[in-house]
Amino acid sequence: MTAFARRARATAARMHPELSLVSFTLLGHLEHEGGCRATDLAAHYTLDKSTISRQVGALEKAGLVERRLDPADHRVHVLHLTERGHEVLAQVGAARRVAFKERLAEWSGPDLSNFAEYLLRYNEAAGSEPEVS
């Protein structure tokens, strides 16, 4: 599992120089949720607010994330992907799909089915654990 995690981090770095695995994960979460507060990110990933603040600051500086006032509560800022953030996330996602397709090209149908089943079981066992390593 350690080798898998290291490979995932290294792959993320090769896919896009601005995105660490954590950055990619945070962008994916923001896209999936349609935006959220930094405190929501910290709670979801069980990370310290200062860690999220640094990550979000780097994403803002890179032009991938922006803060917008919450229309329901102008005291709250909600994080959203910028147009560039959506584009970069799509590019990285496409590159990851190509890499997975290449890695799994020689696998048989039964092997792919077993692998998919094992991944589902693993993720179900993980339950609601944070997604960031």
Side-chain angles (χ1 to χ4, degrees), residues 104-118:
L104 301 173
E106 302 297 319
W107 290 36
S108 70
D111 284 346
L112 288 170
S113 293
N114 288 336
F115 184 58
E117 180 185 333
Y118 297 148

Side-chain angles (χ1 to χ4, degrees), residues 16-43:
H16 197 281
E18 294 178 83
L19 294 184
S20 67
L21 181 58
V22 172
S23 296
F24 179 77
T25 303
L26 295 178
L27 289 177
H29 184 82
L30 289 173
E31 181 179 61
H32 180 264
E33 294 297 316
C36 69
R37 299 174 303 158
T39 54
D40 296 331
L41 285 173

Side-chain angles (χ1 to χ4, degrees), residues 34-127:
C36 69
R37 299 174 303 158
T39 54
D40 296 331
L41 285 173
H44 180 77
Y45 293 109
T46 61
L47 293 170
D48 188 77
K49 289 182 211 175
S50 64
T51 301
I52 290 294
S53 180
R54 282 191 303 277
Q55 291 289 331
V56 167
L59 292 171
E60 283 181 303
K61 187 175 180 179
L64 304 174
V65 170
E66 64 185 359
R67 295 175 193 263
R68 298 183 200 155
L69 286 176
D70 185 340
D73 183 351
H74 290 283
R75 298 171 296 168
V76 176
H77 284 95
V78 178
L79 301 168
H80 292 275
L81 294 183
T82 62
E83 184 176 327
R84 183 166 183 268
H86 284 287
E87 291 168 1
V88 167
L89 191 59
Q91 289 169 358
V92 173
R96 288 178 71 198
R97 283 187 294 282
V98 167
F100 286 133
K101 187 175 181 179
E102 289 172 357
R103 271 189 214 128
L104 301 173
E106 302 297 319
W107 290 36
S108 70
D111 284 346
L112 288 170
S113 293
N114 288 336
F115 184 58
E117 180 185 333
Y118 297 148
L119 283 175
L120 287 171
R121 282 177 51 195
Y122 178 82
N123 287 330
E124 287 171 2

